[in-house]
Amino acid sequence: MAGFRSLARQVRDPRCDLALRRYSLRKCLERFAPYGHRATWDHLCSRHRIEPEDRAPDPARLVAALDELEEARAVWLAYEVEFAHRRKREKHDGLRRPGSFDDWHRRTWGGCGVAWCDDPAVHPVAPLGDVLRRLISALESDPGETCPVCAESRIVWRQGLAHDPWFGPVCTGCGILVPQPVLTPEALAESKRIRRRELASVA
């Protein structure tokens, strides 16, 4: 099975036909897709003006989309390295079992679903790398009241998501599943109150 870097080389290779180059970009998303495969593809197509079903897109746009994906992957890999160093230090200090704060990291192994968007058509508009930097910065800071990606204050608790965790706080602004550790207990409680009010208005 081809890895991310070999697939990226195919995307850039002008000797490959455009259908293969497009296919290779899609396959890259099986290795790294911060919003999930479908939402990340929709994001890249929107930002780089690629028709989602076009089998022979402009090669310059394909490469630009790959550049954005690679930059975000570099941000994530740097975070993974720092995470591994931190866990090594914690184990050295006698903390063998990761805390609940690391639940988010365990569910995003490899960078897939780092900023999960349950609706593939609703995702942040900023470049992927910027989104991951904001998310990582929030994880390394004190919990807040708003979405770390778009600063939206309306966050709603959702059930039945198509990704583990199957429930959690979803930003109504940019669509990401907000990692619970970045929100204060008050913000989490408010997200659940909003859901209860929504359910009551439907009933």
Side-chain angles (χ1 to χ4, degrees), residues 35 43 115 124-136 148-149 176:
Y35 303 153
H43 167 86
V125 296
L128 289 168
D130 290 353
V131 169
L132 292 189
R133 287 185 193 95
R134 292 172 195 169
L135 202 54
I136 291 167
V149 171
I176 72 160

Side-chain angles (χ1 to χ4, degrees), residues 12 25 48 60-72:
R12 287 198 168 89
L25 180 60
H48 300 283
R61 294 178 184 177
L62 281 178
V63 171
L66 175 64
D67 287 343
E68 179 179 344
L69 189 65
E70 284 182 322
E71 183 202 353

Side-chain angles (χ1 to χ4, degrees), residues 70-112:
E70 284 182 322
E71 183 202 353
R73 184 170 178 265
V75 171
W76 176 252
L77 291 176
Y79 173 77
E80 291 268 71
V81 168
E82 178 51 39
F83 177 85
H85 288 326
R86 175 169 66 81
R87 285 297 300 136
K88 187 174 181 179
R89 290 192 301 270
E90 288 173 348
K91 288 178 182 178
H92 181 267
D93 293 339
L95 183 62
R96 305 299 300 176
R97 185 175 176 178
S100 60
F101 183 83
D102 294 320
D103 285 347
W104 172 80
H105 183 268
R106 286 196 293 272
R107 293 187 177 107
T108 56
W109 183 256
C112 290

